[in-house]
Amino acid sequence: MMHISIIGLGWLGLPLASFLQQKGHSVNGSTSSLEKKETLERQGIRAERLLLDPLPVHAVPAQLFETDILYINIPPGRRRHPDEYHPQQIQFLREAIEQHQIGKVIYVSATSVYPSKNQLARETDFLSADTTGNPALWNAEQLLWGNKAYDLTVVRFGGLLGDDRIPGRYFSGKENVPGHPPVNYIHRTDAVRAIHWIIAQNLWNETFNIISPEHPDKKTVFEKNAQDMGFPPPASYEQPPQQMWKEISCEKWLKTGFSFHFPDPLAFTYST
């Protein structure tokens, strides 16, 4: 049994907490809302209140950092905040990691760190602050890697979908939708399983692209979602195709022996 703290009991963090508890681990987590903290505890999930804006707004719960593994999954919020905001959050967390001598850290980044240049993107691709597609996440990754005394694994998830997140719904009825780019998606079930796989297999000090290995184009996915779920497809697609794209390779991740429940985004399960 490991003691695992989850920074961010949200759409992914909450089912991860439940899954890890089922596997016999002791789990604690954070939420920014006092009301949600109380709700989670009624559900049997230990939770502490932690709001980083970008530094802590309230007293920091020390028990959150008394753990074997710290899992960090907080969105960078680039629509509302400058690119410096999220690295400041991560800098605070790094200082807490060092203060409490936490031995292992999992940081959830995203495949958006790769620029879109009509290419196949791999973990070995050269990236820098000037070439990354997502400076907030890239700089946060670098903060955690630099001169560290803990084991770290960086997870670059693709688009997190499945269950109540249906990609075609976001584009239903819209005009001039790019339909030609390949999708880089992962089902929430597989994302949860992947984090447990990292812990169970001791896959430390690595960066992994974790996305479903099949990459149908967006139009095919959106049209199938519309047909299966009964909402209108996009009203029109970009003509001629112009949006730059990337296809994310998960070859390195597959070599760990992980088996996807949902290797093909066309077979993702959803709930309405």
Side-chain angles (χ1 to χ4, degrees):
M1 183 187 75
M2 304 285 286
H3 295 282
I4 303 170
S5 284
I6 295 175
I7 305 297
L9 288 171
W11 190 81
L12 181 59
L14 182 55
L16 175 62
S18 298
F19 188 84
L20 292 174
Q21 283 185 335
Q22 292 169 13
K23 294 295 183 179
H25 297 293
S26 172
V27 180
N28 194 5
S30 78
T31 178
S32 60
S33 163
L34 184 59
E35 292 77 14
K36 186 173 180 181
K37 166 181 162 62
E38 295 169 351
T39 299
L40 290 170
E41 290 178 341
R42 286 195 294 269
Q43 297 173 357
I45 303 292
R46 285 194 300 141
E48 310 294 342
R49 189 182 187 192
L50 179 66
L51 174 59
L52 301 178
D53 189 30
L55 300 179
V57 175
H58 309 99
V60 177
Q63 57 268 39
L64 193 61
F65 299 99
E66 295 166 357
T67 186
D68 299 312
I69 300 174
L70 187 71
Y71 167 86
I72 305 170
N73 184 17
I74 49 178
R78 295 183 73 200
R79 293 182 181 178
R80 296 180 292 112
H81 302 294
D83 284 334
E84 297 79 17
Y85 182 90
H86 183 60
Q88 289 176 339
Q89 294 176 311
I90 299 305
Q91 179 61 40
F92 164 76
L93 290 173
R94 168 157 182 159
E95 292 170 2
I97 291 165
E98 293 173 339
Q99 177 185 350
H100 292 269
Q101 299 181 333
I102 298 173
K104 300 182 184 301
V105 177
I106 299 174
Y107 173 64
V108 174
S109 183
T111 56
S112 59
V113 299
Y114 301 104
S116 294
K117 296 184 176 180
N118 297 349
Q119 90 281 21
L120 181 65
R122 297 183 174 90
E123 294 90 342
T124 53
D125 290 356
F126 173 77
L127 293 175
S128 70
D130 294 327
T131 62
T132 182
N134 190 323
L137 290 176
W138 168 251
N139 288 324
E141 287 185 15
Q142 302 315 298
L143 277 171
L144 289 170
W145 281 119
N147 195 29
K148 64 183 180 61
Y150 46 85
D151 290 323
L152 170 68
T153 290
V154 171
V155 173
R156 293 173 177 168
F157 280 135
L160 286 157
L161 296 161
D163 300 318
D164 60 335
R165 289 188 181 180
I166 308 168
R169 178 169 286 167
Y170 301 125
F171 298 92
S172 177
K174 293 187 176 180
E175 301 277 356
N176 204 35
V177 172
H180 64 285
V183 301
N184 299 291
Y185 293 161
I186 181 168
H187 195 283
R188 177 164 62 173
T189 296
D190 281 329
V192 166
R193 294 176 58 246
I195 298 301
H196 176 256
W197 185 253
I198 288 169
I199 296 169
Q201 301 298 315
N202 286 308
L203 300 174
W204 300 108
N205 301 305
E206 299 283 357
T207 296
F208 292 109
N209 298 333
I210 304 183
I211 66 277
S212 294
E214 300 296 326
H215 302 269
D217 62 51
K218 289 185 176 183
K219 179 179 179 180
T220 302
V221 173
F222 298 164
E223 296 285 333
K224 187 172 191 301
N225 289 166
Q227 181 180 15
D228 290 348
M229 307 300 292
F231 52 75
S236 65
Y237 291 94
E238 184 182 73
Q239 293 294 336
Q242 297 178 1
Q243 186 181 82
M244 301 286 280
W245 53 268
K246 55 182 173 275
E247 181 177 313
I248 307 297
S249 170
C250 65
E251 181 181 3
K252 179 181 176 181
W253 177 244
L254 289 173
K255 287 180 179 178
T256 70
F258 182 83
S259 178
F260 285 85
H261 281 181
F262 298 97
D264 185 353
L266 292 174
F268 280 11
T269 56
Y270 299 103
S271 58
T272 54

mmCIF file of all heavy atoms in Angstrom, residues 98-141:
data_model
loop_
_atom_site.group_PDB
_atom_site.id
_atom_site.type_symbol
_atom_site.label_atom_id
_atom_site.label_comp_id
_atom_site.label_asym_id
_atom_site.label_seq_id
_atom_site.Cartn_x
_atom_site.Cartn_y
_atom_site.Cartn_z
ATOM 1 N N GLU A 98 9.849 19.427 -1.809
ATOM 2 C CA GLU A 98 11.182 19.394 -1.204
ATOM 3 C C GLU A 98 11.113 19.525 0.320
ATOM 4 O O GLU A 98 11.833 18.828 1.044
ATOM 5 C CB GLU A 98 12.033 20.507 -1.813
ATOM 6 C CG GLU A 98 12.329 20.267 -3.289
ATOM 7 C CD GLU A 98 13.026 21.437 -3.945
ATOM 8 O OE1 GLU A 98 12.930 22.569 -3.415
ATOM 9 O OE2 GLU A 98 13.656 21.231 -5.004
ATOM 10 N N GLN A 99 10.232 20.392 0.788
ATOM 11 C CA GLN A 99 10.105 20.586 2.241
ATOM 12 C C GLN A 99 9.684 19.295 2.925
ATOM 13 O O GLN A 99 10.190 18.964 4.012
ATOM 14 C CB GLN A 99 9.095 21.696 2.523
ATOM 15 C CG GLN A 99 8.835 21.929 4.015
ATOM 16 C CD GLN A 99 7.749 22.950 4.257
ATOM 17 O OE1 GLN A 99 7.292 23.635 3.342
ATOM 18 N NE2 GLN A 99 7.297 23.060 5.497
ATOM 19 N N HIS A 100 8.751 18.569 2.312
ATOM 20 C CA HIS A 100 8.216 17.352 2.926
ATOM 21 C C HIS A 100 8.947 16.091 2.454
ATOM 22 O O HIS A 100 8.554 14.987 2.839
ATOM 23 C CB HIS A 100 6.725 17.238 2.635
ATOM 24 C CG HIS A 100 5.892 18.287 3.316
ATOM 25 N ND1 HIS A 100 5.345 18.103 4.561
ATOM 26 C CD2 HIS A 100 5.542 19.544 2.927
ATOM 27 C CE1 HIS A 100 4.672 19.196 4.912
ATOM 28 N NE2 HIS A 100 4.777 20.083 3.940
ATOM 29 N N GLN A 101 9.966 16.278 1.620
ATOM 30 C CA GLN A 101 10.796 15.170 1.141
ATOM 31 C C GLN A 101 9.960 14.061 0.514
ATOM 32 O O GLN A 101 10.118 12.867 0.813
ATOM 33 C CB GLN A 101 11.665 14.628 2.280
ATOM 34 C CG GLN A 101 12.626 15.660 2.843
ATOM 35 C CD GLN A 101 13.513 15.112 3.953
ATOM 36 O OE1 GLN A 101 13.162 14.169 4.666
ATOM 37 N NE2 GLN A 101 14.684 15.705 4.106
ATOM 38 N N ILE A 102 9.037 14.464 -0.342
ATOM 39 C CA ILE A 102 8.221 13.497 -1.080
ATOM 40 C C ILE A 102 9.110 12.789 -2.095
ATOM 41 O O ILE A 102 9.864 13.425 -2.836
ATOM 42 C CB ILE A 102 7.037 14.197 -1.766
ATOM 43 C CG1 ILE A 102 6.137 14.848 -0.707
ATOM 44 C CG2 ILE A 102 6.245 13.208 -2.618
ATOM 45 C CD1 ILE A 102 5.032 15.706 -1.279
ATOM 46 N N GLY A 103 9.001 11.468 -2.164
ATOM 47 C CA GLY A 103 9.922 10.691 -2.989
ATOM 48 C C GLY A 103 9.543 10.554 -4.446
ATOM 49 O O GLY A 103 10.418 10.389 -5.308
ATOM 50 N N LYS A 104 8.236 10.627 -4.748
ATOM 51 C CA LYS A 104 7.801 10.359 -6.113
ATOM 52 C C LYS A 104 6.694 11.342 -6.509
ATOM 53 O O LYS A 104 5.788 11.610 -5.721
ATOM 54 C CB LYS A 104 7.297 8.915 -6.260
ATOM 55 C CG LYS A 104 8.376 7.866 -5.932
ATOM 56 C CD LYS A 104 7.864 6.458 -6.122
ATOM 57 C CE LYS A 104 8.908 5.425 -5.695
ATOM 58 N NZ LYS A 104 10.162 5.541 -6.452
ATOM 59 N N VAL A 105 6.790 11.824 -7.749
ATOM 60 C CA VAL A 105 5.853 12.825 -8.254
ATOM 61 C C VAL A 105 5.403 12.437 -9.655
ATOM 62 O O VAL A 105 6.221 12.039 -10.496
ATOM 63 C CB VAL A 105 6.504 14.222 -8.296
ATOM 64 C CG1 VAL A 105 5.549 15.257 -8.880
ATOM 65 C CG2 VAL A 105 6.976 14.647 -6.901
ATOM 66 N N ILE A 106 4.100 12.533 -9.902
ATOM 67 C CA ILE A 106 3.536 12.407 -11.252
ATOM 68 C C ILE A 106 2.916 13.744 -11.614
ATOM 69 O O ILE A 106 2.074 14.263 -10.873
ATOM 70 C CB ILE A 106 2.467 11.294 -11.325
ATOM 71 C CG1 ILE A 106 3.085 9.935 -10.974
ATOM 72 C CG2 ILE A 106 1.848 11.243 -12.723
ATOM 73 C CD1 ILE A 106 2.062 8.806 -10.873
ATOM 74 N N TYR A 107 3.349 14.295 -12.726
ATOM 75 C CA TYR A 107 2.810 15.584 -13.185
ATOM 76 C C TYR A 107 2.070 15.381 -14.495
ATOM 77 O O TYR A 107 2.626 14.836 -15.458
ATOM 78 C CB TYR A 107 3.928 16.603 -13.385
ATOM 79 C CG TYR A 107 3.448 17.895 -14.024
ATOM 80 C CD1 TYR A 107 2.529 18.711 -13.363
ATOM 81 C CD2 TYR A 107 3.883 18.275 -15.287
ATOM 82 C CE1 TYR A 107 2.073 19.880 -13.942
ATOM 83 C CE2 TYR A 107 3.435 19.448 -15.869
ATOM 84 C CZ TYR A 107 2.528 20.252 -15.204
ATOM 85 O OH TYR A 107 2.059 21.407 -15.792
ATOM 86 N N VAL A 108 0.814 15.817 -14.539
ATOM 87 C CA VAL A 108 0.005 15.704 -15.746
ATOM 88 C C VAL A 108 0.192 16.954 -16.589
ATOM 89 O O VAL A 108 -0.244 18.047 -16.229
ATOM 90 C CB VAL A 108 -1.479 15.487 -15.408
ATOM 91 C CG1 VAL A 108 -2.321 15.514 -16.684
ATOM 92 C CG2 VAL A 108 -1.660 14.155 -14.686
ATOM 93 N N SER A 109 0.861 16.773 -17.704
ATOM 94 C CA SER A 109 1.010 17.807 -18.720
ATOM 95 C C SER A 109 0.034 17.471 -19.850
ATOM 96 O O SER A 109 -1.008 16.877 -19.602
ATOM 97 C CB SER A 109 2.465 17.845 -19.196
ATOM 98 O OG SER A 109 2.685 18.873 -20.131
ATOM 99 N N ALA A 110 0.354 17.855 -21.069
ATOM 100 C CA ALA A 110 -0.544 17.574 -22.193
ATOM 101 C C ALA A 110 0.246 17.566 -23.495
ATOM 102 O O ALA A 110 1.339 18.149 -23.587
ATOM 103 C CB ALA A 110 -1.658 18.612 -22.270
ATOM 104 N N THR A 111 -0.319 16.917 -24.497
ATOM 105 C CA THR A 111 0.343 16.873 -25.797
ATOM 106 C C THR A 111 0.339 18.227 -26.490
ATOM 107 O O THR A 111 0.976 18.388 -27.531
ATOM 108 C CB THR A 111 -0.311 15.820 -26.705
ATOM 109 O OG1 THR A 111 -1.714 16.090 -26.816
ATOM 110 C CG2 THR A 111 -0.118 14.422 -26.134
ATOM 111 N N SER A 112 -0.337 19.198 -25.919
ATOM 112 C CA SER A 112 -0.301 20.550 -26.483
ATOM 113 C C SER A 112 1.073 21.196 -26.351
ATOM 114 O O SER A 112 1.314 22.255 -26.930
ATOM 115 C CB SER A 112 -1.357 21.447 -25.826
ATOM 116 O OG SER A 112 -1.155 21.531 -24.432
ATOM 117 N N VAL A 113 2.000 20.578 -25.603
ATOM 118 C CA VAL A 113 3.363 21.113 -25.552
ATOM 119 C C VAL A 113 4.043 21.016 -26.914
ATOM 120 O O VAL A 113 4.979 21.774 -27.201
ATOM 121 C CB VAL A 113 4.234 20.417 -24.490
ATOM 122 C CG1 VAL A 113 3.656 20.615 -23.095
ATOM 123 C CG2 VAL A 113 4.425 18.942 -24.793
ATOM 124 N N TYR A 114 3.558 20.096 -27.772
ATOM 125 C CA TYR A 114 4.125 19.977 -29.112
ATOM 126 C C TYR A 114 3.467 20.994 -30.037
ATOM 127 O O TYR A 114 2.239 21.127 -30.041
ATOM 128 C CB TYR A 114 3.903 18.575 -29.681
ATOM 129 C CG TYR A 114 4.505 17.467 -28.863
ATOM 130 C CD1 TYR A 114 3.708 16.662 -28.055
ATOM 131 C CD2 TYR A 114 5.872 17.222 -28.889
ATOM 132 C CE1 TYR A 114 4.254 15.636 -27.308
ATOM 133 C CE2 TYR A 114 6.430 16.201 -28.133
ATOM 134 C CZ TYR A 114 5.618 15.410 -27.347
ATOM 135 O OH TYR A 114 6.158 14.400 -26.588
ATOM 136 N N PRO A 115 4.241 21.696 -30.847
ATOM 137 C CA PRO A 115 3.622 22.575 -31.843
ATOM 138 C C PRO A 115 2.965 21.742 -32.935
ATOM 139 O O PRO A 115 3.283 20.555 -33.110
ATOM 140 C CB PRO A 115 4.813 23.364 -32.396
ATOM 141 C CG PRO A 115 5.971 22.429 -32.239
ATOM 142 C CD PRO A 115 5.717 21.667 -30.957
ATOM 143 N N SER A 116 2.031 22.344 -33.642
ATOM 144 C CA SER A 116 1.375 21.668 -34.772
ATOM 145 C C SER A 116 2.075 22.068 -36.061
ATOM 146 O O SER A 116 1.949 23.204 -36.527
ATOM 147 C CB SER A 116 -0.110 22.057 -34.825
ATOM 148 O OG SER A 116 -0.799 21.552 -33.701
ATOM 149 N N LYS A 117 2.811 21.128 -36.630
ATOM 150 C CA LYS A 117 3.568 21.376 -37.862
ATOM 151 C C LYS A 117 3.358 20.261 -38.885
ATOM 152 O O LYS A 117 4.244 19.953 -39.666
ATOM 153 C CB LYS A 117 5.066 21.514 -37.539
ATOM 154 C CG LYS A 117 5.390 22.722 -36.656
ATOM 155 C CD LYS A 117 6.900 22.857 -36.447
ATOM 156 C CE LYS A 117 7.234 24.114 -35.653
ATOM 157 N NZ LYS A 117 8.699 24.253 -35.448
ATOM 158 N N ASN A 118 2.157 19.668 -38.849
ATOM 159 C CA ASN A 118 1.835 18.554 -39.751
ATOM 160 C C ASN A 118 2.855 17.421 -39.598
ATOM 161 O O ASN A 118 3.426 16.944 -40.583
ATOM 162 C CB ASN A 118 1.782 19.029 -41.201
ATOM 163 C CG ASN A 118 0.692 20.057 -41.431
ATOM 164 O OD1 ASN A 118 -0.153 20.286 -40.575
ATOM 165 N ND2 ASN A 118 0.697 20.693 -42.592
ATOM 166 N N GLN A 119 3.062 16.997 -38.325
ATOM 167 C CA GLN A 119 4.130 16.039 -38.042
ATOM 168 C C GLN A 119 3.677 14.966 -37.080
ATOM 169 O O GLN A 119 2.645 15.095 -36.416
ATOM 170 C CB GLN A 119 5.346 16.782 -37.466
ATOM 171 C CG GLN A 119 5.393 16.946 -35.947
ATOM 172 C CD GLN A 119 4.510 18.070 -35.412
ATOM 173 O OE1 GLN A 119 3.570 18.512 -36.056
ATOM 174 N NE2 GLN A 119 4.806 18.531 -34.204
ATOM 175 N N LEU A 120 4.479 13.898 -37.011
ATOM 176 C CA LEU A 120 4.337 12.882 -35.981
ATOM 177 C C LEU A 120 5.210 13.307 -34.810
ATOM 178 O O LEU A 120 6.426 13.479 -34.960
ATOM 179 C CB LEU A 120 4.787 11.518 -36.508
ATOM 180 C CG LEU A 120 4.680 10.335 -35.529
ATOM 181 C CD1 LEU A 120 3.228 10.048 -35.186
ATOM 182 C CD2 LEU A 120 5.358 9.088 -36.114
ATOM 183 N N ALA A 121 4.604 13.512 -33.636
ATOM 184 C CA ALA A 121 5.315 14.053 -32.482
ATOM 185 C C ALA A 121 5.668 12.936 -31.505
ATOM 186 O O ALA A 121 4.818 12.113 -31.149
ATOM 187 C CB ALA A 121 4.468 15.105 -31.783
ATOM 188 N N ARG A 122 6.929 12.940 -31.070
ATOM 189 C CA ARG A 122 7.426 11.953 -30.122
ATOM 190 C C ARG A 122 8.068 12.645 -28.917
ATOM 191 O O ARG A 122 8.427 13.820 -28.999
ATOM 192 C CB ARG A 122 8.459 11.041 -30.780
ATOM 193 C CG ARG A 122 7.923 10.192 -31.931
ATOM 194 C CD ARG A 122 9.032 9.288 -32.453
ATOM 195 N NE ARG A 122 8.551 8.344 -33.465
ATOM 196 C CZ ARG A 122 8.527 8.597 -34.763
ATOM 197 N NH1 ARG A 122 8.940 9.796 -35.213
ATOM 198 N NH2 ARG A 122 8.080 7.694 -35.612
ATOM 199 N N GLU A 123 8.252 11.888 -27.851
ATOM 200 C CA GLU A 123 8.862 12.426 -26.640
ATOM 201 C C GLU A 123 10.291 12.914 -26.887
ATOM 202 O O GLU A 123 10.786 13.782 -26.161
ATOM 203 C CB GLU A 123 8.884 11.368 -25.528
ATOM 204 C CG GLU A 123 7.519 10.957 -25.018
ATOM 205 C CD GLU A 123 6.924 9.787 -25.773
ATOM 206 O OE1 GLU A 123 7.395 9.486 -26.910
ATOM 207 O OE2 GLU A 123 5.990 9.155 -25.245
ATOM 208 N N THR A 124 10.955 12.359 -27.874
ATOM 209 C CA THR A 124 12.341 12.736 -28.165
ATOM 210 C C THR A 124 12.453 14.008 -28.993
ATOM 211 O O THR A 124 13.570 14.496 -29.219
ATOM 212 C CB THR A 124 13.057 11.598 -28.905
ATOM 213 O OG1 THR A 124 12.272 11.218 -30.052
ATOM 214 C CG2 THR A 124 13.238 10.385 -28.005
ATOM 215 N N ASP A 125 11.332 14.570 -29.437
ATOM 216 C CA ASP A 125 11.371 15.805 -30.226
ATOM 217 C C ASP A 125 11.997 16.927 -29.396
ATOM 218 O O ASP A 125 11.712 17.067 -28.200
ATOM 219 C CB ASP A 125 9.965 16.228 -30.649
ATOM 220 C CG ASP A 125 9.361 15.295 -31.681
ATOM 221 O OD1 ASP A 125 10.060 14.374 -32.125
ATOM 222 O OD2 ASP A 125 8.177 15.493 -32.020
ATOM 223 N N PHE A 126 12.811 17.740 -30.041
ATOM 224 C CA PHE A 126 13.390 18.888 -29.343
ATOM 225 C C PHE A 126 12.319 19.948 -29.131
ATOM 226 O O PHE A 126 11.627 20.353 -30.071
ATOM 227 C CB PHE A 126 14.552 19.483 -30.144
ATOM 228 C CG PHE A 126 15.061 20.770 -29.548
ATOM 229 C CD1 PHE A 126 15.871 20.753 -28.428
ATOM 230 C CD2 PHE A 126 14.687 22.000 -30.082
ATOM 231 C CE1 PHE A 126 16.320 21.942 -27.849
ATOM 232 C CE2 PHE A 126 15.133 23.188 -29.524
ATOM 233 C CZ PHE A 126 15.951 23.158 -28.402
ATOM 234 N N LEU A 127 12.174 20.390 -27.894
ATOM 235 C CA LEU A 127 11.262 21.471 -27.562
ATOM 236 C C LEU A 127 12.017 22.509 -26.749
ATOM 237 O O LEU A 127 12.958 22.188 -26.024
ATOM 238 C CB LEU A 127 10.062 20.959 -26.750
ATOM 239 C CG LEU A 127 9.079 20.034 -27.454
ATOM 240 C CD1 LEU A 127 8.036 19.536 -26.466
ATOM 241 C CD2 LEU A 127 8.405 20.744 -28.620
ATOM 242 N N SER A 128 11.581 23.735 -26.846
ATOM 243 C CA SER A 128 12.160 24.814 -26.049
ATOM 244 C C SER A 128 11.048 25.801 -25.720
ATOM 245 O O SER A 128 9.915 25.682 -26.223
ATOM 246 C CB SER A 128 13.277 25.526 -26.822
ATOM 247 O OG SER A 128 12.736 26.268 -27.906
ATOM 248 N N ALA A 129 11.370 26.781 -24.911
ATOM 249 C CA ALA A 129 10.376 27.805 -24.570
ATOM 250 C C ALA A 129 9.901 28.548 -25.811
ATOM 251 O O ALA A 129 8.780 29.057 -25.840
ATOM 252 C CB ALA A 129 10.972 28.778 -23.560
ATOM 253 N N ASP A 130 10.738 28.597 -26.840
ATOM 254 C CA ASP A 130 10.380 29.317 -28.060
ATOM 255 C C ASP A 130 9.595 28.460 -29.049
ATOM 256 O O ASP A 130 8.870 28.998 -29.888
ATOM 257 C CB ASP A 130 11.647 29.834 -28.753
ATOM 258 C CG ASP A 130 12.367 30.886 -27.931
ATOM 259 O OD1 ASP A 130 11.683 31.658 -27.224
ATOM 260 O OD2 ASP A 130 13.614 30.932 -27.995
ATOM 261 N N THR A 131 9.741 27.138 -28.966
ATOM 262 C CA THR A 131 9.103 26.270 -29.962
ATOM 263 C C THR A 131 7.906 25.500 -29.431
ATOM 264 O O THR A 131 7.148 24.934 -30.219
ATOM 265 C CB THR A 131 10.123 25.260 -30.529
ATOM 266 O OG1 THR A 131 10.593 24.413 -29.464
ATOM 267 C CG2 THR A 131 11.301 25.991 -31.164
ATOM 268 N N THR A 132 7.726 25.448 -28.117
ATOM 269 C CA THR A 132 6.615 24.673 -27.569
ATOM 270 C C THR A 132 5.266 25.258 -27.986
ATOM 271 O O THR A 132 5.133 26.460 -28.222
ATOM 272 C CB THR A 132 6.697 24.615 -26.033
ATOM 273 O OG1 THR A 132 5.614 23.809 -25.534
ATOM 274 C CG2 THR A 132 6.584 25.996 -25.414
ATOM 275 N N GLY A 133 4.267 24.390 -28.041
ATOM 276 C CA GLY A 133 2.909 24.845 -28.322
ATOM 277 C C GLY A 133 2.170 25.320 -27.097
ATOM 278 O O GLY A 133 1.087 25.898 -27.208
ATOM 279 N N ASN A 134 2.725 25.076 -25.909
ATOM 280 C CA ASN A 134 2.060 25.458 -24.663
ATOM 281 C C ASN A 134 3.119 25.872 -23.643
ATOM 282 O O ASN A 134 3.593 25.046 -22.859
ATOM 283 C CB ASN A 134 1.223 24.284 -24.127
ATOM 284 C CG ASN A 134 0.317 24.690 -22.981
ATOM 285 O OD1 ASN A 134 0.681 25.512 -22.145
ATOM 286 N ND2 ASN A 134 -0.859 24.095 -22.918
ATOM 287 N N PRO A 135 3.508 27.165 -23.636
ATOM 288 C CA PRO A 135 4.571 27.610 -22.726
ATOM 289 C C PRO A 135 4.268 27.357 -21.250
ATOM 290 O O PRO A 135 5.187 27.069 -20.475
ATOM 291 C CB PRO A 135 4.679 29.109 -23.030
ATOM 292 C CG PRO A 135 4.122 29.274 -24.403
ATOM 293 C CD PRO A 135 3.045 28.244 -24.516
ATOM 294 N N ALA A 136 3.003 27.478 -20.847
ATOM 295 C CA ALA A 136 2.666 27.288 -19.434
ATOM 296 C C ALA A 136 3.026 25.881 -18.978
ATOM 297 O O ALA A 136 3.670 25.686 -17.936
ATOM 298 C CB ALA A 136 1.188 27.567 -19.205
ATOM 299 N N LEU A 137 2.631 24.869 -19.755
ATOM 300 C CA LEU A 137 2.919 23.489 -19.384
ATOM 301 C C LEU A 137 4.398 23.161 -19.556
ATOM 302 O O LEU A 137 4.993 22.466 -18.731
ATOM 303 C CB LEU A 137 2.066 22.530 -20.210
ATOM 304 C CG LEU A 137 0.565 22.515 -19.892
ATOM 305 C CD1 LEU A 137 -0.167 21.584 -20.848
ATOM 306 C CD2 LEU A 137 0.320 22.090 -18.453
ATOM 307 N N TRP A 138 4.993 23.633 -20.646
ATOM 308 C CA TRP A 138 6.405 23.355 -20.889
ATOM 309 C C TRP A 138 7.271 23.902 -19.750
ATOM 310 O O TRP A 138 8.140 23.197 -19.228
ATOM 311 C CB TRP A 138 6.834 23.950 -22.226
ATOM 312 C CG TRP A 138 8.319 23.967 -22.438
ATOM 313 C CD1 TRP A 138 9.156 25.042 -22.441
ATOM 314 C CD2 TRP A 138 9.155 22.824 -22.662
ATOM 315 N NE1 TRP A 138 10.452 24.645 -22.654
ATOM 316 C CE2 TRP A 138 10.481 23.289 -22.793
ATOM 317 C CE3 TRP A 138 8.910 21.449 -22.764
ATOM 318 C CZ2 TRP A 138 11.559 22.441 -23.019
ATOM 319 C CZ3 TRP A 138 9.985 20.605 -22.993
ATOM 320 C CH2 TRP A 138 11.285 21.099 -23.120
ATOM 321 N N ASN A 139 7.041 25.139 -19.355
ATOM 322 C CA ASN A 139 7.831 25.730 -18.275
ATOM 323 C C ASN A 139 7.571 25.037 -16.947
ATOM 324 O O ASN A 139 8.486 24.905 -16.121
ATOM 325 C CB ASN A 139 7.542 27.229 -18.177
ATOM 326 C CG ASN A 139 8.149 28.008 -19.327
ATOM 327 O OD1 ASN A 139 9.238 27.683 -19.792
ATOM 328 N ND2 ASN A 139 7.453 29.025 -19.797
ATOM 329 N N ALA A 140 6.331 24.583 -16.731
ATOM 330 C CA ALA A 140 6.036 23.831 -15.511
ATOM 331 C C ALA A 140 6.810 22.513 -15.492
ATOM 332 O O ALA A 140 7.357 22.114 -14.456
ATOM 333 C CB ALA A 140 4.541 23.577 -15.407
ATOM 334 N N GLU A 141 6.853 21.825 -16.621
ATOM 335 C CA GLU A 141 7.636 20.593 -16.713
ATOM 336 C C GLU A 141 9.100 20.861 -16.343
ATOM 337 O O GLU A 141 9.712 20.115 -15.576
ATOM 338 C CB GLU A 141 7.575 20.015 -18.127
ATOM 339 C CG GLU A 141 6.256 19.384 -18.516
ATOM 340 C CD GLU A 141 6.331 18.743 -19.891
ATOM 341 O OE1 GLU A 141 7.466 18.551 -20.406
ATOM 342 O OE2 GLU A 141 5.271 18.425 -20.473
#
